[in-house]
C-alpha cells in the first residue's frame, strides 16, 4: 500500500506555513512572512507577492520529498476580498474601510436577517461589508469579479478559481443552510452569482495544471484538495488532539470555537457559525485582543521587555488575585465579540496611587482572560476547553485560564490549521496524547473570579 504524503499549506495574514505529514508525523515544515500594506483604515496584501512567496516555500522543500507528495491542500485566512482587476490587491479581515457604513447598516432589519442566513457577524471584517462599501462608493466597475485568497491559490495550481464552503461561509454572502451563494444577499448588493467563484465542498479534489506539476517536481498522480478556512481547521485540529469539541486559541488575537452538528446563532451577541464538512460546523466568537495586548504591556509597562514573558509566572505568584481591585479593559484594538465595536477603548479602571507596576501587569493578564471568559460563556459554557496558541506557551497562563473560566483546560499541542487539514482529509486514527498537559481550576480562585467578573466591564 502506498502511504499518503500530505502537503498542507496555511496562508494566514502574517505568514505562509507549509507542513508535510505522513502517518501523523510532521516530516517537514517551514514558514515565510507576508507583508501587509495600508494604514489604520486600509489593510491589504499583494497577491503577486503572496504567490511568489508560496512558490519559494514549495521549491525549498527537498526535491525527493516533493516527488513523494500525493495530496496538497490549503488553509486560508477568512474574510479576504480581492477585486479581479489585475492588481491582485487582497483586502484582509482587518481592513476597516466599511466601518462607518456597516455601523449604519447594523441598525436595519436586514442586518439581523442576513446574519441569520449566513452565520457571519455584521462587521467591517466581512466581504459582505467590504462589497457594500465598494458598491456604494462605486470604487470598481459593476461587472467586477470578486475573489479571495483561496480562489487565488486554486486558480494558480488548477486553473479554476474555486472557493470551499468553509471559506465562503465566512464571507457573509453564503447561505449556510442551502450551501450556496445567497441570491437574496447578492441581489441587495447588486452582485451576480457569476461575479463570485464557483463553490466546492472542503474535500473536493481537483487536478493540478501539468505545467505546475512539472515546475514543482510533483508526481503526475498528485491531487489538489480545496481545503477550508484557518479558523475552522484550528478548531478541528484541537478537537482531534484533545477530544474536546470546545477550544480556545490565543495568538495575536483570540477565538473560542465549538465543533457542532447544529447551527447556533445569537442575534444579539452575534457569534459566528461556519461550515467545516458534511454534518459539522464550527460556531464561535472572536476577540481582537489577545497576545497583541500582552505585547503592548511588554513594551509600555515592563521594566525589561526582553525578560518580560519569562518573569510573568513569578509575577502571578507574587501578586494578589484581582490585582488589588485594579481592572483593565483590553480593548486596545477595538473589539469584535461580544461588542462588535471598532470604537470601543481600553484602559485601566479604579487605578490609585497605591497600585504598583506588578498590579498593573497582573490586571492586563486578568483583563484579557476575563474578556475572553465572556466568549467562553457564549460559545462553550460549562464545557471543558482545549487551549492553544502562543499565549499558552507560558504554563502559568493555562492555570490562570482554568481558574478564570472555572473549567478544566487541555493544552493542545497540535492546533495548527495544517494538522486540521490533514485530519479533515486523511481521517487518521485519533491518537489523543495521554501525557497532554491538563489544568484543573482552583475552586477558591474560580469563586473569587466569579465575583470579580460580575461587574468587571461595567
Amino acid at each position: 500500500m502506498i502511504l499518503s504524503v500530505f502537503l498542507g499549506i496555511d496562508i494566514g495574514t502574517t505568514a505562509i506555513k507549509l507542513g508535510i505529514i505522513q502517518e501523523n508525523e510532521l516530516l517537514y515544515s517551514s514558514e515565510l512572512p507576508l507583508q501587509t500594506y495600508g494604514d489604520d483604515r486600509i489593510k491589504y496584501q499583494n497577491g503577486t507577492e503572496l504567490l511568489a512567496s508560496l512558490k519559494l516555500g514549495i521549491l525549498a522543500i527537498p526535491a525527493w520529498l516533493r516527488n513523494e507528495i500525493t495530496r496538497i491542500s490549503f488553509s486560508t485566512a477568512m474574510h479576504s476580498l480581492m477585486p479581479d482587476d489585475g492588481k491582485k490587491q487582497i483586502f484582509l479581515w482587518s481592513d476597516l474601510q466599511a466601518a462607518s457604513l456597516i455601523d449604519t447598516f447594523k441598525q436595519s432589519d436586514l442586518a439581523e436577517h442576513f446574519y441569520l442566513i449566513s452565520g457571519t457577524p455584521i462587521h467591517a471584517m466581512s466581504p459582505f461589508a467590504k462589497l457594500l462599501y465598494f458598491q456604494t462608493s462605486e470604487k470598481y466597475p459593476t461587472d467586477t469579479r470578486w475573489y479571495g485568497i483561496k480562489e487565488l491559490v486554486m486558480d494558480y495550481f488548477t486553473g479554476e478559481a474555486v472557493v470551499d464552503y468553509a471559506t465562503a461561509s465566512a464571507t457573509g454572502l453564503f447561505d449556510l443552510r442551502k450551501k450556496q451563494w445567497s441570491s437574496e444577499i447578492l441581489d441587495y448588493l447588486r452582485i451576480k452569482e457569476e461575479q463570485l467563484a464557483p463553490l466546492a465542498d472542503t474535500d473536493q479534489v481537483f487536478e493540478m495544471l501539468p505545467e505546475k506539476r512539472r515546475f514543482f517536481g510533483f508526481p503526475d498522480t498528485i491531487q489538489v484538495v480545496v481545503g477550508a478556512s484557518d479558523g475552522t481547521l484550528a478548531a478541528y485540529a484541537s478537537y482531534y488532539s484533545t477530544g474536546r469539541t470546545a477550544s480556545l486559541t490565543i495568538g495575536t488575537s483570540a477565538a473560542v470555537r465549538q465543533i457542532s452538528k447544529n447551527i447556533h446563532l445569537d442575534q444579539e451577541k452575534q457569534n459566528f457559525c461556519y461550515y467545516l464538512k458534511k454534518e459539522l460546523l464550527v460556531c464561535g466568537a472572536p476577540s481582537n485582543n489577545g497576545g497583541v495586548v500582552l505585547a503592548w504591556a511588554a513594551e509600555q509597562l515592563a521594566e525589561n521587555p526582553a525578560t518580560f514573558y519569562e518573569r510573568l509566572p513569578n509575577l502571578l505568584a507574587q501578586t494578589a488575585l484581582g490585582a488589588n481591585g485594579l481592572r483593565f479593559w483590553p480593548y486596545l484594538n477595538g473589539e469584535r465579540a461580544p461588542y462588535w465595536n471598532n470604537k470601543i477603548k481600553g484602559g485601566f479602571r479604579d487605578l490609585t496611587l497605591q497600585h504598583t507596576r506588578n498590579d498593573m501587569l497582573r490586571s492586563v493578564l486578568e483583563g484579557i482572560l476575563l474578556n475572553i471568559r465572556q466568549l467562553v460563556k457564549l460559545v462553550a459554557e460549562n464545557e471543558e476547553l482545549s487551549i492553544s496558541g502562543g499565549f499558552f506557551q507560558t504554563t502559568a497562563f493555562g492555570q490562570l485560564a482554568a481558574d478564570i473560566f472555572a473549567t478544566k483546560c487541555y493544552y493542545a499541542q497540535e492546533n495548527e490549521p495544517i494538522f486540521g487539514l490533514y485530519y479533515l482529509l486523511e481521517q487518521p486514527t485519533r491518537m489523543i496524547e495521554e501525557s497532554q498537559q491538563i489544568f484543573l481550576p482552583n475552586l477558591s480562585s474560580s469563586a473569587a473570579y466569579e465575583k470579580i467578573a460580575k461587574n468587571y466591564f461595567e
Side-chain angles (χ1 to χ4, degrees):
M1 184 180 78
I2 299 175
L3 294 175
S4 172
V5 179
F6 176 80
L7 169 59
I9 297 175
D10 173 31
I11 304 173
T13 51
T14 59
I16 299 175
K17 298 179 182 180
L18 297 90
I20 297 178
I21 305 172
Q22 184 180 42
E23 289 192 300
N24 282 332
E25 182 183 352
L26 185 65
L27 304 180
Y28 175 93
S29 65
S30 66
E31 183 172 332
L32 301 94
L34 286 174
Q35 179 70 43
T36 296
Y37 300 96
D39 50 34
D40 290 344
R41 182 166 164 267
I42 299 172
K43 300 287 185 186
Y44 68 92
Q45 288 173 344
N46 183 301
T48 301
E49 291 180 6
L50 187 154
L51 291 175
S53 293
L54 178 55
K55 182 170 72 173
L56 289 173
I58 295 174
L59 290 174
I61 300 169
W64 68 267
L65 187 52
R66 272 182 271 145
N67 192 51
E68 296 291 319
I69 293 168
T70 55
R71 294 180 112 183
I72 179 174
S73 188
F74 308 98
S75 159
T76 52
M78 293 181 285
H79 315 303
S80 65
L81 184 69
M82 182 186 77
D84 188 30
D85 59 358
K87 295 180 182 178
K88 289 187 168 59
Q89 192 175 40
I90 307 167
F91 296 101
L92 305 176
W93 73 268
S94 50
D95 183 274
L96 296 176
Q97 294 181 77
S100 296
L101 184 62
I102 205 68
D103 282 346
T104 301
F105 177 78
K106 281 166 69 171
Q107 308 308 313
S108 71
D109 292 338
L110 276 178
E112 180 181 304
H113 181 55
F114 286 178
Y115 165 68
L116 294 175
I117 290 174
S118 68
T120 303
I122 305 299
H123 185 266
M125 69 182 181
S126 77
F128 167 80
K130 295 174 175 64
L131 273 172
L132 182 61
Y133 169 75
F134 290 145
Q135 292 290 83
T136 302
S137 60
E138 299 181 343
K139 284 194 70 171
Y140 296 93
T142 56
D143 60 350
T144 299
R145 291 180 180 271
W146 298 95
Y147 297 139
I149 295 173
K150 180 60 67 75
E151 295 93 313
L152 179 71
V153 295
M154 285 299 293
D155 185 53
Y156 177 77
F157 283 100
T158 71
E160 299 184 60
V162 298
V163 63
D164 62 88
Y165 290 164
T167 305
S169 71
T171 62
L173 310 171
F174 182 80
D175 189 314
L176 192 56
R177 293 161 186 82
K178 296 179 180 177
K179 299 181 183 62
Q180 63 188 36
W181 296 120
S182 167
S183 57
E184 191 173 352
I185 296 174
L186 297 192
D187 285 346
Y188 177 78
L189 292 169
R190 304 187 308 280
I191 295 285
K192 297 177 182 176
E193 189 172 327
E194 300 78 53
Q195 292 175 254
L196 303 177
L199 294 159
D201 210 338
T202 51
D203 60 357
Q204 189 164 326
V205 176
F206 293 82
E207 185 177 342
M208 186 177 289
L209 291 167
E211 60 266 30
K212 292 298 190 298
R213 285 202 312 265
R214 291 191 293 268
F215 178 79
F216 290 114
F218 291 136
D220 292 345
T221 54
I222 191 170
Q223 294 182 329
V224 180
V225 187
V226 65
S229 62
D230 56 358
T232 57
L233 291 167
Y236 198 61
S238 291
Y239 165 64
Y240 236 86
S241 61
T242 68
R244 270 69 206 170
T245 59
S247 64
L248 163 64
T249 302
I250 306 181
T252 303
S253 55
V256 180
R257 304 181 180 99
Q258 175 79 263
I259 302 284
S260 174
K261 292 186 177 180
N262 301 303
I263 295 173
H264 298 285
L265 296 171
D266 186 308
Q267 297 175 27
E268 180 183 348
K269 295 182 179 177
Q270 299 235 337
N271 64 287
F272 62 74
C273 195
Y274 301 142
Y275 181 93
L276 174 60
K277 58 180 266 187
K278 292 180 181 69
E279 298 182 356
L280 277 190
L281 302 154
V282 176
C283 301
S287 167
N288 289 350
N289 299 289
V292 66
V293 177
L294 207 53
W296 169 83
E299 289 299 320
Q300 305 303 329
L301 301 176
E303 290 184 61
N304 184 355
T307 60
F308 173 72
Y309 292 94
E310 63 189 63
R311 290 188 63 249
L312 283 176
N314 285 336
L315 182 144
L316 285 172
Q318 295 166 6
T319 52
L321 184 155
N324 290 316
L326 180 60
R327 295 179 293 155
F328 179 75
W329 288 16
Y331 312 121
L332 306 187
N333 198 27
E335 189 53 296
R336 286 180 285 173
Y339 304 106
W340 300 103
N341 185 348
N342 294 313
K343 297 177 182 177
I344 190 171
K345 305 299 182 184
F348 292 100
R349 263 61 175 182
D350 304 324
L351 181 64
T352 71
L353 290 172
Q354 282 67 50
H355 286 116
T356 66
R357 183 199 304 269
N358 284 351
D359 288 331
M360 295 170 76
L361 290 172
R362 183 180 183 108
S363 74
V364 169
L365 280 166
E366 291 180 335
I368 292 170
L369 289 173
L370 283 162
N371 181 51
I372 292 171
R373 181 182 184 272
Q374 298 180 101
L375 310 188
V376 173
K377 295 290 184 185
L378 174 62
V379 175
E381 189 167 17
N382 300 321
E383 289 197 41
E384 296 178 345
L385 274 179
S386 163
I387 58 174
S388 62
F391 186 90
F392 291 112
Q393 289 177 4
T394 302
T395 304
F397 295 174
Q399 185 59 54
L400 184 61
D403 292 345
I404 288 177
F405 305 149
T407 193
K408 188 186 294 187
C409 293
Y410 297 75
Y411 181 69
Q413 198 70 31
E414 305 296 358
N415 70 298
E416 292 288 338
I418 285 172
F419 270 92
L421 263 179
Y422 176 71
Y423 299 145
L424 180 72
L425 303 177
E426 301 290 332
Q427 291 292 295
T429 302
R430 283 180 57 202
M431 299 176 65
I432 297 172
E433 291 284 340
E434 295 298 327
S435 60
Q436 64 183 307
Q437 214 166 8
I438 300 174
F439 301 98
L440 299 172
N442 178 293
L443 295 181
S444 63
S445 297
S446 292
Y449 279 121
E450 178 74 29
K451 291 180 181 178
I452 290 170
K454 285 180 180 178
N455 62 356
Y456 197 87
F457 295 107
E458 293 178 1

